[in-house]
Amino acid sequence: MKKNWMILIFVGASLLLLLYVKVSSIDVANDTASETQNNTPATTSESVTSQTTEPNPYDIPQPDDPRLTRLADGRVLYNPSVDASRTLDQTIDPDEALTVIDQLISHYRFAYKENPVGSENTEITEQLLGKNPKRIVFLDPQSQALTDKQLLDQWGTPYFFHALSAQEMEIRSAGPDQQHWTNDDFAINQAQQDSE
Amino acid sequence: MSKNLNHISRRQFLRAGTCGAMTIGPLVNTIAQLSLINSAAASALGGSLVGSDYKALVCIFLRGGCDMNNVLIPITGNPQADAYANDRGVVGIPNGITTSYNPTGADNTLPITVPGADPFGMHPSLVNLKAMFDNSEAGFITNVGTLAEPTNKNDYSTTSLPKQLFSHSDQVTQWMSSISDKPYISGWGARVAELYHDAWNINSQTSMMITAAGNNQFMSGSSVSPFSVTSSGSISLAGFGTNYASALNTDGSYKTNSTGRRFEALERIMQYSHAHILEEGYGEVVRSARANETIINEAIAATPSDVDFDQIWLDHEADSGVANELKSVARLIAGRECMGNNRQIFFVDLGGFDNHANINGAQPALLDQLDRAIGAFNAGMKALDASTIDTDFSYDKVTTFQASDFNRTWTPNGTDFDSAGTDHAWGSHSFVFGGAVNGGNFYGSYPTLEVGGVNDVPSGSRGRWIPTTSVDQFAAVMANWFGVPIGSSEMETIFPNLNRFEDPFDISGTANLAFLPPYVPPII
């Protein structure tokens, strides 16, 4: 009885091995075919579409990168950030505004591997405006949300930047009551977003 | 769904019995301490493993960034009292100055006398700490914080600053590592242990670092690990009841129920040697964890009969988490003979100090918890000193210091009493206490309490004091008291940036950090 079981197991294992070898050879063939296709000059409509797709803002910028605009004073506009920051006005949804600011911080972190440093709104805002080592501008200097180098929410209260770590920043709007840390506040946390 | 544990395979049994234990991080750390396997022999050694040259350093970390501006308060007669009352506004403690928040000019602080200084008061919750200060058992190191190099208002924009200033995580790490300008590698407590454990603790039976608050950067190192305990003792393997009550009789023999038999079988299996490195490592972890447990539990049970820590803690109404953690530390100090270490470093913590909101409600309660805990611990150390059974111990053997992420902003973030709080700042005040401390005094340099003043970070508007004493200087004085020689290569290894700052041991200088006596090796 035991011997029969062992024979069955052996036969089963052999079949599985054969199946694996077969599937692997098919995969290799497919990979080779796709590589050949990729090396062929793009002529299909699908390839053209992929070339016109928006560049990833987190790709490393090149010297003549269209995402960068160099200003006469030496500052460099990072257009994906600056364009996004132009949506910060009185009409934007409060949660959406936080998402945009979070995106600016995220782009800053992409450039410098850490968040802007500070515990006051002015300090963070100035760094987003170009007061940083490479003089990169992440926030439109003409943004409607700017007043006296402070980034204000829809109710005119400076956002609060809660520095949790080099990689994690909580951004808070005081909400309609214009008092921070009350029930009507809006807040966003990059790390929490990532984990969700 | 419960399983019938009488009919499980050996593999299932091992998995069920020990996976809980394997997930306990601190236990895994003990794999590096293979020498502890022989701990069972420790209790049989008898005699004195720890002589009179015993010292313990206890760190109390206040997580979240405690607002120490409300711990030391200028009061009437102090030129900075008006600034305190007016600038702190709704979050200020009434200090005798009449303002709209204090129309009667009440003074709710606990007044203290600081030699050569203007009048100060302490937060009204800190009754025990005030008494300790008055008795010269406690002192404050003022305006201390993380620094990469000496920094002032004028060179703030050009000097090297601590990485990610004002961020919780980074500032906690830098307080614990005492290195503010490089990525974290180890804590300064761990570096002390790495360099001196073998030399100081020749009869050691367990790690010289014990944490009652879980893993922390202060005690993390490359070759040493802390042993983790709970407020009630060691952490036992999961699945056998609290302290193995479901598996062991009071005399230590195995119970005859299924849990007892399972535990007995597990312990036997864990004694096997395994050819596979992971299996063997697994066995080592469990064996060393069990060995450490034995030692720790013996130590906790070894309190002299004429010292009743439970009663002392009861008298101080100290029953919070940090109070229980300090009670465990007190018991482990009392039972130090079982662990065989001449030097021990302990770590406890208390969270909840990130009071951006409702600081008026939260901080007094937190400081009250802290105060009762340190009051009980200080009384416990004195009781141990008075013990006629433990005659080797004296009150000056233990120094306790407090640290926190950072201080908080001088000005509040609101005007509503119930919701206002304070935000992240920098230079803080830390207290130290113990029999060796030159207490009843302020050390370092007390800051000028003025927004835009000489000590304020120039890029802000809220009052964030630039530290005038670095963590390196503060910690180096404690390390020296512990036994690390002044000017030694070891001191340089533990505090690689220390030489950037004024010599904290030069009593003729301006550092003003002689809060502990310098270490004098015992005459043999």
PDB file of all heavy atoms in Angstrom, chain A residues 164-190:
ATOM      1  N   LEU A 164       7.171  65.330  11.420  1.00  0.00           N
ATOM      2  CA  LEU A 164       7.226  64.083  12.188  1.00  0.00           C
ATOM      3  C   LEU A 164       8.580  63.402  12.022  1.00  0.00           C
ATOM      4  O   LEU A 164       9.121  62.837  12.956  1.00  0.00           O
ATOM      5  CB  LEU A 164       6.095  63.151  11.746  1.00  0.00           C
ATOM      6  CG  LEU A 164       4.687  63.731  11.919  1.00  0.00           C
ATOM      7  CD1 LEU A 164       3.638  62.808  11.311  1.00  0.00           C
ATOM      8  CD2 LEU A 164       4.379  63.956  13.392  1.00  0.00           C
ATOM      9  N   SER A 165       9.088  63.424  10.807  1.00  0.00           N
ATOM     10  CA  SER A 165      10.426  62.878  10.557  1.00  0.00           C
ATOM     11  C   SER A 165      10.943  63.493   9.271  1.00  0.00           C
ATOM     12  O   SER A 165      10.265  64.316   8.654  1.00  0.00           O
ATOM     13  CB  SER A 165      10.379  61.349  10.440  1.00  0.00           C
ATOM     14  OG  SER A 165       9.835  60.968   9.192  1.00  0.00           O
ATOM     15  N   ALA A 166      12.125  63.063   8.850  1.00  0.00           N
ATOM     16  CA  ALA A 166      12.698  63.595   7.617  1.00  0.00           C
ATOM     17  C   ALA A 166      11.841  63.247   6.409  1.00  0.00           C
ATOM     18  O   ALA A 166      11.902  63.914   5.379  1.00  0.00           O
ATOM     19  CB  ALA A 166      14.110  63.048   7.432  1.00  0.00           C
ATOM     20  N   GLN A 167      11.047  62.200   6.524  1.00  0.00           N
ATOM     21  CA  GLN A 167      10.262  61.726   5.390  1.00  0.00           C
ATOM     22  C   GLN A 167       8.766  61.895   5.597  1.00  0.00           C
ATOM     23  O   GLN A 167       7.989  61.537   4.717  1.00  0.00           O
ATOM     24  CB  GLN A 167      10.571  60.230   5.146  1.00  0.00           C
ATOM     25  CG  GLN A 167      12.043  59.899   5.021  1.00  0.00           C
ATOM     26  CD  GLN A 167      12.679  60.561   3.814  1.00  0.00           C
ATOM     27  OE1 GLN A 167      12.041  60.692   2.772  1.00  0.00           O
ATOM     28  NE2 GLN A 167      13.925  61.002   3.945  1.00  0.00           N
ATOM     29  N   GLU A 168       8.371  62.345   6.733  1.00  0.00           N
ATOM     30  CA  GLU A 168       6.939  62.369   7.045  1.00  0.00           C
ATOM     31  C   GLU A 168       6.540  63.734   7.600  1.00  0.00           C
ATOM     32  O   GLU A 168       7.081  64.191   8.607  1.00  0.00           O
ATOM     33  CB  GLU A 168       6.619  61.272   8.068  1.00  0.00           C
ATOM     34  CG  GLU A 168       5.139  61.061   8.275  1.00  0.00           C
ATOM     35  CD  GLU A 168       4.852  59.944   9.269  1.00  0.00           C
ATOM     36  OE1 GLU A 168       5.818  59.317   9.766  1.00  0.00           O
ATOM     37  OE2 GLU A 168       3.668  59.719   9.547  1.00  0.00           O
ATOM     38  N   MET A 169       5.598  64.354   6.902  1.00  0.00           N
ATOM     39  CA  MET A 169       5.131  65.674   7.315  1.00  0.00           C
ATOM     40  C   MET A 169       3.604  65.672   7.322  1.00  0.00           C
ATOM     41  O   MET A 169       2.988  65.307   6.324  1.00  0.00           O
ATOM     42  CB  MET A 169       5.647  66.721   6.315  1.00  0.00           C
ATOM     43  CG  MET A 169       5.160  68.133   6.559  1.00  0.00           C
ATOM     44  SD  MET A 169       6.261  69.049   7.631  1.00  0.00           S
ATOM     45  CE  MET A 169       7.551  69.547   6.473  1.00  0.00           C
ATOM     46  N   GLU A 170       3.037  66.074   8.425  1.00  0.00           N
ATOM     47  CA  GLU A 170       1.589  66.237   8.478  1.00  0.00           C
ATOM     48  C   GLU A 170       1.291  67.700   8.147  1.00  0.00           C
ATOM     49  O   GLU A 170       1.937  68.593   8.696  1.00  0.00           O
ATOM     50  CB  GLU A 170       1.062  65.892   9.868  1.00  0.00           C
ATOM     51  CG  GLU A 170      -0.448  65.987   9.988  1.00  0.00           C
ATOM     52  CD  GLU A 170      -0.936  65.859  11.425  1.00  0.00           C
ATOM     53  OE1 GLU A 170      -0.209  66.296  12.352  1.00  0.00           O
ATOM     54  OE2 GLU A 170      -2.025  65.331  11.615  1.00  0.00           O
ATOM     55  N   ILE A 171       0.336  67.915   7.258  1.00  0.00           N
ATOM     56  CA  ILE A 171      -0.020  69.292   6.874  1.00  0.00           C
ATOM     57  C   ILE A 171      -1.441  69.544   7.343  1.00  0.00           C
ATOM     58  O   ILE A 171      -2.340  68.743   7.081  1.00  0.00           O
ATOM     59  CB  ILE A 171       0.081  69.479   5.346  1.00  0.00           C
ATOM     60  CG1 ILE A 171       1.457  69.015   4.862  1.00  0.00           C
ATOM     61  CG2 ILE A 171      -0.154  70.936   4.966  1.00  0.00           C
ATOM     62  CD1 ILE A 171       1.505  68.742   3.374  1.00  0.00           C
ATOM     63  N   ARG A 172      -1.636  70.659   8.037  1.00  0.00           N
ATOM     64  CA  ARG A 172      -2.936  70.920   8.664  1.00  0.00           C
ATOM     65  C   ARG A 172      -3.482  72.294   8.265  1.00  0.00           C
ATOM     66  O   ARG A 172      -2.751  73.291   8.254  1.00  0.00           O
ATOM     67  CB  ARG A 172      -2.819  70.866  10.189  1.00  0.00           C
ATOM     68  CG  ARG A 172      -2.326  69.533  10.734  1.00  0.00           C
ATOM     69  CD  ARG A 172      -2.319  69.560  12.235  1.00  0.00           C
ATOM     70  NE  ARG A 172      -3.682  69.620  12.755  1.00  0.00           N
ATOM     71  CZ  ARG A 172      -4.392  68.559  13.086  1.00  0.00           C
ATOM     72  NH1 ARG A 172      -3.877  67.354  12.975  1.00  0.00           N
ATOM     73  NH2 ARG A 172      -5.621  68.704  13.553  1.00  0.00           N
ATOM     74  N   SER A 173      -4.768  72.300   7.981  1.00  0.00           N
ATOM     75  CA  SER A 173      -5.504  73.558   7.807  1.00  0.00           C
ATOM     76  C   SER A 173      -6.387  73.726   9.038  1.00  0.00           C
ATOM     77  O   SER A 173      -6.983  72.757   9.523  1.00  0.00           O
ATOM     78  CB  SER A 173      -6.371  73.489   6.544  1.00  0.00           C
ATOM     79  OG  SER A 173      -7.429  74.422   6.622  1.00  0.00           O
ATOM     80  N   ALA A 174      -6.459  74.968   9.529  1.00  0.00           N
ATOM     81  CA  ALA A 174      -7.231  75.210  10.755  1.00  0.00           C
ATOM     82  C   ALA A 174      -8.734  75.134  10.518  1.00  0.00           C
ATOM     83  O   ALA A 174      -9.518  75.080  11.470  1.00  0.00           O
ATOM     84  CB  ALA A 174      -6.870  76.571  11.341  1.00  0.00           C
ATOM     85  N   GLY A 175      -9.136  75.144   9.251  1.00  0.00           N
ATOM     86  CA  GLY A 175     -10.562  75.030   8.959  1.00  0.00           C
ATOM     87  C   GLY A 175     -11.318  76.320   9.211  1.00  0.00           C
ATOM     88  O   GLY A 175     -10.723  77.379   9.486  1.00  0.00           O
ATOM     89  N   PRO A 176     -12.655  76.241   9.117  1.00  0.00           N
ATOM     90  CA  PRO A 176     -13.482  77.463   9.198  1.00  0.00           C
ATOM     91  C   PRO A 176     -13.305  78.251  10.497  1.00  0.00           C
ATOM     92  O   PRO A 176     -13.419  79.474  10.489  1.00  0.00           O
ATOM     93  CB  PRO A 176     -14.913  76.929   9.090  1.00  0.00           C
ATOM     94  CG  PRO A 176     -14.796  75.597   8.451  1.00  0.00           C
ATOM     95  CD  PRO A 176     -13.477  75.052   8.831  1.00  0.00           C
ATOM     96  N   ASP A 177     -13.038  77.590  11.607  1.00  0.00           N
ATOM     97  CA  ASP A 177     -12.936  78.345  12.863  1.00  0.00           C
ATOM     98  C   ASP A 177     -11.585  79.042  13.020  1.00  0.00           C
ATOM     99  O   ASP A 177     -11.360  79.779  13.990  1.00  0.00           O
ATOM    100  CB  ASP A 177     -13.223  77.442  14.071  1.00  0.00           C
ATOM    101  CG  ASP A 177     -12.096  76.471  14.382  1.00  0.00           C
ATOM    102  OD1 ASP A 177     -11.127  76.397  13.589  1.00  0.00           O
ATOM    103  OD2 ASP A 177     -12.173  75.777  15.414  1.00  0.00           O
ATOM    104  N   GLN A 178     -10.694  78.797  12.082  1.00  0.00           N
ATOM    105  CA  GLN A 178      -9.373  79.449  12.049  1.00  0.00           C
ATOM    106  C   GLN A 178      -8.547  79.183  13.308  1.00  0.00           C
ATOM    107  O   GLN A 178      -7.624  79.928  13.613  1.00  0.00           O
ATOM    108  CB  GLN A 178      -9.519  80.956  11.804  1.00  0.00           C
ATOM    109  CG  GLN A 178     -10.194  81.262  10.470  1.00  0.00           C
ATOM    110  CD  GLN A 178     -10.216  82.737  10.178  1.00  0.00           C
ATOM    111  OE1 GLN A 178     -10.966  83.488  10.804  1.00  0.00           O
ATOM    112  NE2 GLN A 178      -9.396  83.164   9.236  1.00  0.00           N
ATOM    113  N   GLN A 179      -8.902  78.138  14.029  1.00  0.00           N
ATOM    114  CA  GLN A 179      -8.117  77.718  15.212  1.00  0.00           C
ATOM    115  C   GLN A 179      -7.553  76.332  14.924  1.00  0.00           C
ATOM    116  O   GLN A 179      -8.313  75.400  14.614  1.00  0.00           O
ATOM    117  CB  GLN A 179      -9.017  77.636  16.461  1.00  0.00           C
ATOM    118  CG  GLN A 179      -9.559  78.965  16.940  1.00  0.00           C
ATOM    119  CD  GLN A 179      -8.526  79.767  17.730  1.00  0.00           C
ATOM    120  OE1 GLN A 179      -7.674  79.209  18.419  1.00  0.00           O
ATOM    121  NE2 GLN A 179      -8.602  81.086  17.624  1.00  0.00           N
ATOM    122  N   HIS A 180      -6.250  76.221  15.023  1.00  0.00           N
ATOM    123  CA  HIS A 180      -5.635  74.915  14.769  1.00  0.00           C
ATOM    124  C   HIS A 180      -5.971  73.915  15.879  1.00  0.00           C
ATOM    125  O   HIS A 180      -6.242  74.290  17.008  1.00  0.00           O
ATOM    126  CB  HIS A 180      -4.115  75.064  14.664  1.00  0.00           C
ATOM    127  CG  HIS A 180      -3.658  75.447  13.285  1.00  0.00           C
ATOM    128  ND1 HIS A 180      -3.734  74.599  12.209  1.00  0.00           N
ATOM    129  CD2 HIS A 180      -3.132  76.605  12.816  1.00  0.00           C
ATOM    130  CE1 HIS A 180      -3.271  75.200  11.123  1.00  0.00           C
ATOM    131  NE2 HIS A 180      -2.902  76.430  11.470  1.00  0.00           N
ATOM    132  N   TRP A 181      -5.922  72.643  15.511  1.00  0.00           N
ATOM    133  CA  TRP A 181      -6.088  71.529  16.447  1.00  0.00           C
ATOM    134  C   TRP A 181      -7.490  71.509  17.064  1.00  0.00           C
ATOM    135  O   TRP A 181      -7.662  71.197  18.230  1.00  0.00           O
ATOM    136  CB  TRP A 181      -5.018  71.541  17.531  1.00  0.00           C
ATOM    137  CG  TRP A 181      -3.649  71.565  16.955  1.00  0.00           C
ATOM    138  CD1 TRP A 181      -2.874  72.674  16.734  1.00  0.00           C
ATOM    139  CD2 TRP A 181      -2.882  70.450  16.463  1.00  0.00           C
ATOM    140  NE1 TRP A 181      -1.680  72.325  16.148  1.00  0.00           N
ATOM    141  CE2 TRP A 181      -1.653  70.963  15.986  1.00  0.00           C
ATOM    142  CE3 TRP A 181      -3.100  69.082  16.406  1.00  0.00           C
ATOM    143  CZ2 TRP A 181      -0.668  70.159  15.439  1.00  0.00           C
ATOM    144  CZ3 TRP A 181      -2.124  68.281  15.873  1.00  0.00           C
ATOM    145  CH2 TRP A 181      -0.911  68.810  15.396  1.00  0.00           C
ATOM    146  N   THR A 182      -8.473  71.884  16.256  1.00  0.00           N
ATOM    147  CA  THR A 182      -9.864  71.742  16.688  1.00  0.00           C
ATOM    148  C   THR A 182     -10.575  70.777  15.730  1.00  0.00           C
ATOM    149  O   THR A 182      -9.990  70.327  14.739  1.00  0.00           O
ATOM    150  CB  THR A 182     -10.595  73.095  16.711  1.00  0.00           C
ATOM    151  OG1 THR A 182     -10.455  73.711  15.431  1.00  0.00           O
ATOM    152  CG2 THR A 182     -10.029  74.023  17.770  1.00  0.00           C
ATOM    153  N   ASN A 183     -11.816  70.492  16.033  1.00  0.00           N
ATOM    154  CA  ASN A 183     -12.510  69.427  15.309  1.00  0.00           C
ATOM    155  C   ASN A 183     -12.743  69.711  13.831  1.00  0.00           C
ATOM    156  O   ASN A 183     -12.929  68.785  13.044  1.00  0.00           O
ATOM    157  CB  ASN A 183     -13.863  69.143  15.977  1.00  0.00           C
ATOM    158  CG  ASN A 183     -13.672  68.470  17.324  1.00  0.00           C
ATOM    159  OD1 ASN A 183     -12.649  67.833  17.558  1.00  0.00           O
ATOM    160  ND2 ASN A 183     -14.639  68.639  18.214  1.00  0.00           N
ATOM    161  N   ASP A 184     -12.759  70.985  13.445  1.00  0.00           N
ATOM    162  CA  ASP A 184     -13.053  71.260  12.034  1.00  0.00           C
ATOM    163  C   ASP A 184     -11.777  71.368  11.191  1.00  0.00           C
ATOM    164  O   ASP A 184     -11.819  71.808  10.046  1.00  0.00           O
ATOM    165  CB  ASP A 184     -13.892  72.542  11.909  1.00  0.00           C
ATOM    166  CG  ASP A 184     -13.099  73.793  12.285  1.00  0.00           C
ATOM    167  OD1 ASP A 184     -12.002  73.645  12.870  1.00  0.00           O
ATOM    168  OD2 ASP A 184     -13.574  74.909  12.001  1.00  0.00           O
ATOM    169  N   ASP A 185     -10.656  70.963  11.734  1.00  0.00           N
ATOM    170  CA  ASP A 185      -9.394  71.020  10.990  1.00  0.00           C
ATOM    171  C   ASP A 185      -9.413  70.036   9.814  1.00  0.00           C
ATOM    172  O   ASP A 185     -10.113  69.022   9.849  1.00  0.00           O
ATOM    173  CB  ASP A 185      -8.207  70.648  11.891  1.00  0.00           C
ATOM    174  CG  ASP A 185      -7.863  71.752  12.877  1.00  0.00           C
ATOM    175  OD1 ASP A 185      -8.626  72.730  12.967  1.00  0.00           O
ATOM    176  OD2 ASP A 185      -6.845  71.608  13.581  1.00  0.00           O
ATOM    177  N   PHE A 186      -8.623  70.355   8.808  1.00  0.00           N
ATOM    178  CA  PHE A 186      -8.333  69.415   7.720  1.00  0.00           C
ATOM    179  C   PHE A 186      -6.857  69.042   7.844  1.00  0.00           C
ATOM    180  O   PHE A 186      -6.036  69.894   8.178  1.00  0.00           O
ATOM    181  CB  PHE A 186      -8.591  70.061   6.354  1.00  0.00           C
ATOM    182  CG  PHE A 186     -10.032  70.386   6.098  1.00  0.00           C
ATOM    183  CD1 PHE A 186     -10.576  71.591   6.547  1.00  0.00           C
ATOM    184  CD2 PHE A 186     -10.849  69.501   5.418  1.00  0.00           C
ATOM    185  CE1 PHE A 186     -11.903  71.902   6.314  1.00  0.00           C
ATOM    186  CE2 PHE A 186     -12.180  69.802   5.181  1.00  0.00           C
ATOM    187  CZ  PHE A 186     -12.713  70.990   5.627  1.00  0.00           C
ATOM    188  N   ALA A 187      -6.545  67.793   7.583  1.00  0.00           N
ATOM    189  CA  ALA A 187      -5.148  67.371   7.719  1.00  0.00           C
ATOM    190  C   ALA A 187      -4.830  66.268   6.729  1.00  0.00           C
ATOM    191  O   ALA A 187      -5.701  65.511   6.316  1.00  0.00           O
ATOM    192  CB  ALA A 187      -4.871  66.893   9.141  1.00  0.00           C
ATOM    193  N   ILE A 188      -3.566  66.202   6.378  1.00  0.00           N
ATOM    194  CA  ILE A 188      -3.102  65.130   5.493  1.00  0.00           C
ATOM    195  C   ILE A 188      -1.718  64.720   5.975  1.00  0.00           C
ATOM    196  O   ILE A 188      -0.937  65.532   6.454  1.00  0.00           O
ATOM    197  CB  ILE A 188      -3.053  65.600   4.020  1.00  0.00           C
ATOM    198  CG1 ILE A 188      -2.847  64.408   3.089  1.00  0.00           C
ATOM    199  CG2 ILE A 188      -1.983  66.651   3.795  1.00  0.00           C
ATOM    200  CD1 ILE A 188      -3.042  64.766   1.614  1.00  0.00           C
ATOM    201  N   ASN A 189      -1.461  63.426   5.844  1.00  0.00           N
ATOM    202  CA  ASN A 189      -0.175  62.885   6.285  1.00  0.00           C
ATOM    203  C   ASN A 189       0.344  61.969   5.192  1.00  0.00           C
ATOM    204  O   ASN A 189      -0.285  60.970   4.872  1.00  0.00           O
ATOM    205  CB  ASN A 189      -0.370  62.114   7.596  1.00  0.00           C
ATOM    206  CG  ASN A 189       0.925  61.567   8.137  1.00  0.00           C
ATOM    207  OD1 ASN A 189       1.749  61.047   7.383  1.00  0.00           O
ATOM    208  ND2 ASN A 189       1.102  61.684   9.437  1.00  0.00           N
ATOM    209  N   GLN A 190       1.500  62.311   4.641  1.00  0.00           N
ATOM    210  CA  GLN A 190       2.050  61.563   3.521  1.00  0.00           C
ATOM    211  C   GLN A 190       2.233  60.089   3.852  1.00  0.00           C
ATOM    212  O   GLN A 190       1.861  59.218   3.070  1.00  0.00           O
ATOM    213  CB  GLN A 190       3.401  62.157   3.117  1.00  0.00           C
ATOM    214  CG  GLN A 190       4.081  61.433   1.972  1.00  0.00           C
ATOM    215  CD  GLN A 190       3.366  61.630   0.654  1.00  0.00           C
ATOM    216  OE1 GLN A 190       3.008  62.744   0.327  1.00  0.00           O
ATOM    217  NE2 GLN A 190       3.127  60.570  -0.082  1.00  0.00           N
TER     218      GLN A 190
END
